[in-house]
Amino acid sequence: MKDYIITAENIQLLVNDVLKQGWDVVSESKTGVNFNAIKDASELAIKSDSKPSKLSMKDFFFPKTEPLFFYRQSHDGVELVDASPIEKKTLFLGAKPCDAAAIPVLSKVFNWDYKDEFYNKRVENSVVVSLKCNYSDDYCFCTSIGLSQKAEQGSDAMLTEQQDGSYFLHIVTEKGDEFFKMYSQYLKDTQAENNKPVESKYPEPAVKFDQGKVKGWLDANFEHDFWNNLGDVCLGCGQCTFVCPTCHCFDIVDENCNYHEGGRMKNWDSCQLCLFTKHASGHNPRDGQTKRYRQRIQHKFKYYEDKFNEVLCTGCGRCTRGCGVGIDIGGIMERIDKF
Ligand code: SF4
Ligand code: SF4
């Protein structure tokens, strides 16, 4: 695929053109808290050396709550009404590689047995242009799970910030190529300019653990006192799962319903909440935080890998940065690695 140079000014012009075409453009908010659909290019916040936002962008693909269908009883029976179709095209601009990489991870789970047409439509309608990352802190561990600050998984194109403030644009997929062909007036050909991407002056996060070794330990130690130590301090608040770009637990419930009508909704849930596995009988197979936190780790670093041959984590460190009691998932992996 081709490489180009795009100036910061031309990114703004491109974004305003994309907005005029009726697309949504989503970028990290200037506050660094979340991702926003912007109304104008002046709201763009593309910064390669910023900390990952507190919230990931997964809710643009897998919303906190969404209707699956509505139902209404009439004299002739029950009428089902489809939820609104997902038509809007969206450009994601400036996502970190650890955010973009979460999309193919989620896609596997949403297409494993049942194909989730809502999720798939949103992915189909999206172009993801990520930004090579120039940030790392004690909580980042992308390099321990096979990713990096320039990993291309989930990206249709990747920007690399240049010293002069322009960006090197590397096209990754056919979809990315098709998209940028529509805006070629804003791109300069790198071959003509003889430009190359500038290598980052910031170090990659250190490799903290060997995932193969961690997996071996998890395979053999479902029952271990180590889990009790974690469960004793975990508050069971679910923050870690809600901010995580790859966590995907949900419930399906009827809302706003009475005898005659209602809506069937898909809502985020969390394996860290005590009600998540509670049966109607009152029995709860995960009846304590030790079992619930063990489930989180086992799902991410063992069960998902057993099924899909990769981990359910991109090493972004969000869950740790936000945890009220300092439970550090990368640190847990390091400790397991040392057993
Ligand atoms: S690990 Fe931290 S964020 Fe997650 S449920 Fe426990 S206390 Fe909450
Ligand atoms: S488990 Fe934590 S580090 Fe891994 S992707 Fe989720 S939020 Fe990021």
Side-chain angles (χ1 to χ4, degrees):
M1 292 285 167
K2 281 199 88 163
D3 296 328
Y4 301 95
I5 293 289
I6 182 165
T7 62
E9 189 188 15
N10 277 355
I11 288 185
Q12 302 249 332
L13 295 171
L14 181 149
V15 162
N16 282 337
D17 263 13
V18 172
L19 288 166
K20 271 188 217 143
Q21 299 302 317
W23 285 47
D24 278 345
V25 177
V26 171
S27 90
E28 238 180 68
S29 66
K30 287 192 171 173
T31 60
V33 172
N34 59 351
F35 283 80
N36 273 340
I38 61 170
K39 295 188 180 61
D40 182 88
S42 61
E43 295 172 36
L44 269 180
I46 305 182
K47 283 193 73 184
S48 66
D49 57 356
S50 63
K51 194 189 284 193
S53 53
K54 288 189 193 314
L55 298 172
S56 73
M57 63 183 193
K58 79 173 168 193
D59 58 326
F60 285 92
F61 298 95
F62 166 40
K64 290 187 190 79
T65 180
E66 72 176 330
L68 301 178
F69 61 84
F70 301 94
Y71 53 87
R72 196 178 301 130
Q73 195 177 37
S74 66
H75 289 299
D76 304 324
V78 177
E79 182 193 359
L80 297 181
V81 180
D82 284 340
S84 307
I86 299 156
E87 306 288 4
K88 200 96 181 186
K89 302 253 188 198
T90 306
L91 169 65
F92 290 86
L93 190 57
K96 288 193 180 290
C98 55
D99 278 321
I103 301 167
V105 173
L106 285 178
S107 291
K108 287 196 178 75
V109 86
F110 284 126
N111 286 281
W112 153 35
D113 48 0
Y114 177 77
K115 308 233 173 301
D116 187 317
E117 61 183 277
F118 298 91
Y119 174 84
N120 285 337
K121 195 71 190 168
R122 290 192 179 93
V123 172
E124 188 187 314
N125 283 350
S126 301
V127 172
V128 179
V129 180
S130 56
L131 177 66
K132 187 180 158 199
C133 180
N134 277 325
Y135 178 84
S136 86
D137 63 20
D138 288 348
Y139 307 128
C140 296
F141 59 93
C142 57
T143 50
S144 303
I145 47 152
L147 296 175
S148 73
Q149 291 169 321
K150 54 183 175 189
E152 293 175 356
Q153 287 92 324
S155 300
D156 295 304
M158 179 171 279
L159 294 166
T160 303
E161 213 167 16
Q162 304 292 94
Q163 269 154 359
D164 65 0
S166 65
Y167 293 85
F168 188 90
L169 173 68
H170 172 60
I171 307 292
V172 179
T173 65
E174 292 288 340
K175 195 200 253 187
D177 194 39
E178 288 303 311
F179 174 80
F180 279 104
K181 270 185 188 153
M182 296 191 290
Y183 299 98
S184 57
Q185 68 272 31
Y186 298 121
L187 310 177
K188 277 195 231 167
D189 192 323
T190 51
Q191 279 170 351
E193 300 288 321
N194 201 22
N195 271 308
K196 288 198 166 50
V198 170
E199 282 306 314
S200 171
K201 56 180 187 273
Y202 298 90
E204 292 263 3
V207 175
K208 292 183 168 180
F209 59 90
D210 174 343
Q211 168 54 19
K213 199 169 160 207
V214 167
K215 170 75 165 55
W217 188 90
L218 293 174
D219 284 340
N221 288 284
F222 188 74
E223 303 287 352
H224 195 285
D225 287 348
F226 178 67
W227 302 118
N228 298 334
N229 298 334
L230 298 172
D232 285 350
V233 289
C234 175
L235 302 170
C237 63
Q239 179 278 153
C240 48
T241 58
F242 296 133
V243 300
C244 175
T246 60
C247 278
H248 52 264
C249 295
F250 63 86
D251 272 340
I252 293 180
V253 291
D254 286 358
E255 288 185 4
N256 297 324
C257 48
N258 55 37
Y259 188 72
H260 302 288
E261 60 186 359
R264 189 148 299 173
M265 312 295 287
K266 178 171 144 196
N267 298 330
W268 283 6
D269 202 342
S270 167
C271 62
Q272 295 310 288
L273 304 180
C274 61
L275 290 181
F276 183 67
T277 45
K278 192 166 183 182
H279 299 179
S281 65
H283 171 65
N284 193 341
R286 288 191 214 128
D287 56 359
Q289 209 53 37
T290 286
K291 291 180 182 172
R292 295 192 274 272
Y293 197 76
R294 177 180 63 192
Q295 164 63 19
R296 182 158 199 268
I297 298 292
Q298 293 272 11
H299 188 193
K300 288 195 170 289
F301 298 98
K302 171 179 159 48
Y303 306 144
Y304 195 88
E305 185 170 334
D306 284 340
K307 184 147 193 73
F308 297 115
N309 209 24
E310 64 177 311
V311 294
L312 181 61
C313 173
T314 65
C316 69
R318 270 192 186 90
C319 53
T320 303
R321 285 187 207 96
C323 177
V325 291
I327 295 182
D328 171 6
I329 196 165
I332 290 168
M333 295 298 109
E334 272 185 276
R335 283 161 64 194
I336 291 178
D337 181 274
K338 290 189 173 60
F339 272 122

